[in-house]
Amino acid sequence: MLSKHFQPTDTSNKMRLHSKLIPVILSLFLGCFLAKDLYEANNNPLVDLRNRVVGSRVLNTGVSPYTFRWQPGDPTSLLNQYDLYSPQYSFCTATPAFLCLIKPLAGLSYSHIKFYWTIFSFICVAWILLSLYAKKNITVKQQIILGIISVLFLAGNNWRQSVIQGQYYVLFPFLLLAAYALTLNKKNRQLTAFIILVGIASLLRPILLLIVMPLIINPSYYAAILKGGIVTCGLVGLYLLSTGELREWRLYSKSSGYWLNHYKTSPDSLKDVPQINQYWASKGKLIEGEAGTETKAVEPGMPSQITSQTLNLTHVSKTITGKSIPLYLCILLWGIIAGTILGYMIWKKKNTIDDCLVGGFMLYYLLEILLPVPKNSYCFPEILLPVSLLWKMNKINSAQLYIITVCLFIMCIPVKVFPLQLVCSEFFIMATLIYCYLKQGTLSHKQFNRRE
């Protein structure tokens, strides 16, 4: 009788022990993955990071990074050996604000920049993954599933591509979720401050503004939107006046338009025009420890069958049918889908801020895959934003987590299983999240555990 009397207490103690042990085990895995990422970064050129670092260095000299062409006699620190030929513009695609932001980092040697950038990127993704455990009343079963998902995410080819290319897409969900945590807590929903932070973040990637677009359907948010918009415009104006980068923004806009038109008319021709600087390559020297040609950038340590899979519908259509989708049709399709999402939210009437933000991400994501500018597999970390929000909203059950787990497992397979396996896996995950978003109500913890 005595043992029976104490059995529930013993069980609850074991559950509490397990709930504390799982994050510790995950942290050990995170340490191993950080070591792996640093090894990958050290042995690969991080070509997209090189692009932005050189752009920042050029901007610091007073020359536009969007029209700059390296010539023999210029400092080798300003040579992007992975640049592409263009009659007018360089292949620097980052905004002037981002180039300005990384100026302190750009002054270091490139090997140090790779090291610090990889650590920073990993801190961003680790913070997002560990924050999923902050959910109240999380069960041991949920913690185990989240741990498996976290490990598969970091072991997957999409994240590996992000590391090897030196990409920055994990930065955006990190900034938005950090702004969410700071300003939209349950005790004090400071929507105005959140809008200001999103406005500032959009200087790094302008289409991030779409994420707050659905807020306009709720009249109760109008005052916050107006105040946040006014303050953001003032801060942006102050930034442009203090840095004198208005001209750079104009050139950035023209350069983006040029490359957009290039992708629209001949998306595959970029593979045929890499800038191999014959002057420097003939010397047989390294440029800040990297190869003097684009050789390492073609297949940077990735198996050819899973490298740089493009998610844009026009590219997927061309791969399957041999025909691309016209740009006007893509824009029309985005308009119809965006109208449908906003119409659904208006019909639903009761939309929380969280609902609006997830709906805004859907608009953002759909625009990315409908525009002809390549959305490659290394953009995948962006999807952590809706996953985190829907998880906090109790809109994801165990069956949907299992689907995400299977898709992430497929992303980890280093050989070709079926055509466009990374693309299909991401689309399945996104379709699952859209279903979670559209379904009515939220799940209690009992419902979560019951829905197997």
Side-chain angles (χ1 to χ4, degrees):
M1 294 293 293
L2 189 62
S3 61
K4 290 182 179 180
H5 176 73
F6 282 104
Q7 187 173 358
T9 303
D10 293 340
T11 303
S12 62
N13 287 336
K14 289 181 179 179
M15 297 293 285
R16 281 196 294 269
L17 178 62
H18 291 158
S19 65
K20 293 179 180 179
L21 188 60
I22 292 171
V24 173
I25 295 174
L26 178 59
S27 298
L28 294 176
F29 273 104
L30 291 177
C32 295
F33 281 116
L34 174 59
K36 178 186 77 72
D37 288 353
L38 288 172
Y39 174 81
E40 298 275 19
N42 185 59
N43 289 278
N44 287 278
L46 278 62
V47 294
D48 293 320
L49 178 62
R50 177 74 186 182
N51 178 303
R52 297 177 180 112
V53 167
V54 169
S56 181
R57 289 169 174 174
V58 172
L59 182 64
N60 204 34
T61 65
V63 179
S64 175
Y66 305 104
T67 57
F68 174 76
R69 283 296 178 195
W70 188 89
Q71 299 294 330
D74 292 335
T76 55
S77 61
L78 303 182
L79 171 58
N80 177 15
Q81 62 270 40
Y82 313 112
D83 200 356
L84 300 167
Y85 277 123
S86 160
Q88 295 173 289
Y89 301 103
S90 72
F91 200 55
C92 181
T93 56
T95 66
F98 185 84
L99 300 181
C100 186
L101 180 68
I102 64 171
K103 275 185 181 181
L105 191 66
L108 303 175
S109 67
Y110 190 60
S111 59
H112 287 100
I113 293 172
K114 292 198 300 180
F115 177 80
Y116 293 130
W117 182 260
T118 302
I119 289 180
F120 172 72
S121 299
F122 194 86
I123 289 173
C124 290
V125 71
W127 180 83
I128 296 172
L129 294 174
L130 290 174
S131 69
L132 297 175
Y133 287 86
K135 183 180 176 182
K136 290 184 178 180
N137 301 318
I138 186 171
T139 66
V140 173
K141 177 182 176 181
Q142 292 172 336
Q143 288 186 354
I144 293 173
I145 297 175
L146 285 178
I148 294 172
I149 287 177
S150 299
V151 170
L152 291 176
F153 179 90
L154 294 172
N157 293 302
N158 296 49
W159 174 249
R160 188 183 178 206
Q161 287 182 35
S162 179
V163 173
I164 289 175
Q165 297 281 44
Q167 273 295 345
Y168 64 168
Y169 286 95
V170 71
L171 177 63
F172 306 127
F174 172 76
L175 291 176
L176 294 176
L177 288 172
Y180 177 95
L182 291 172
T183 62
L184 295 181
N185 56 75
K186 292 183 178 180
K187 295 180 181 179
N188 185 18
R189 285 186 173 270
Q190 300 172 340
L191 182 57
T192 300
F194 178 79
I195 291 173
I196 293 170
L197 291 174
V198 173
I200 294 172
S202 68
L203 290 172
L204 308 180
R205 188 164 175 79
I207 63 172
L208 284 176
L209 285 175
L210 287 174
I211 291 177
V212 296
M213 181 179 172
L215 292 171
I216 64 176
I217 67 173
N218 194 329
S220 64
Y221 300 150
Y222 286 175
I225 293 172
L226 181 61
K227 289 187 289 186
I230 292 173
V231 174
T232 301
C233 289
L235 292 174
V236 170
L238 183 63
Y239 151 72
L240 291 175
L241 290 174
S242 61
T243 60
E245 290 182 1
L246 185 59
R247 172 179 173 272
E248 297 306 325
W249 276 96
R250 291 197 190 103
L251 288 172
Y252 165 76
S253 178
K254 292 179 180 179
S255 174
S256 299
Y258 170 84
W259 289 112
L260 175 62
N261 183 67
H262 183 94
Y263 282 117
K264 181 180 67 175
T265 55
S266 52
D268 296 325
S269 64
L270 287 179
K271 298 177 182 178
D272 303 323
V273 291
Q275 179 188 355
I276 305 177
N277 192 288
Q278 298 297 333
Y279 169 82
W280 194 258
S282 64
K283 303 294 184 182
K285 296 181 179 179
L286 298 179
I287 302 170
E288 292 193 89
E290 305 298 336
T293 70
E294 48 76 55
T295 305
K296 291 175 71 177
V298 177
E299 296 292 346
M302 297 295 294
S304 59
Q305 61 267 35
I306 56 171
T307 302
S308 301
Q309 292 188 7
T310 306
L311 281 77
N312 306 75
L313 289 186
T314 181
H315 290 268
V316 173
S317 174
K318 188 173 182 179
T319 300
I320 297 174
T321 67
K323 296 181 179 180
S324 299
I325 302 175
L327 179 60
Y328 76 88
L329 193 58
C330 291
I331 296 174
L332 177 62
L333 182 59
W334 182 85
I336 293 173
I337 297 175
T340 302
I341 292 175
L342 293 175
Y344 165 78
M345 296 181 73
I346 293 172
W347 170 79
K348 185 182 173 184
K349 293 182 179 180
K350 294 182 179 179
N351 293 288
T352 65
I353 295 176
D354 297 349
D355 288 325
C356 293
L357 295 180
V358 177
F361 180 84
M362 302 301 175
L363 300 180
Y364 167 86
Y365 186 88
L366 288 168
L367 183 62
E368 279 192 315
I369 64 174
L370 286 171
L371 286 177
V373 176
K375 174 181 168 59
N376 292 309
S377 304
Y378 50 65
C379 302
F380 182 67
E382 292 180 322
I383 217 165
L384 290 172
L385 177 63
V387 168
S388 183
L389 290 175
L390 288 168
W391 176 246
K392 289 177 171 62
M393 294 164 65
N394 288 324
K395 285 208 167 191
I396 301 180
N397 63 26
S398 57
Q400 287 134 20
L401 284 181
Y402 292 148
I403 294 174
I404 294 173
T405 302
V406 171
C407 292
L408 289 174
F409 176 77
I410 293 173
M411 291 179 176
C412 293
I413 301 174
V415 295
K416 183 178 179 179
V417 180
F418 52 85
L420 298 174
Q421 65 196 54
L422 299 183
V423 173
C424 294
S425 298
E426 181 167 338
F427 280 168
F428 267 111
I429 291 176
M430 197 62 199
T432 301
L433 296 178
I434 291 174
Y435 169 77
C436 295
Y437 172 66
L438 294 178
K439 70 182 180 183
Q440 296 293 323
T442 59
L443 297 169
S444 67
H445 294 286
K446 290 182 179 180
Q447 288 175 313
F448 180 97
N449 292 318
R450 188 166 62 244
R451 293 193 179 188
E452 297 292 339

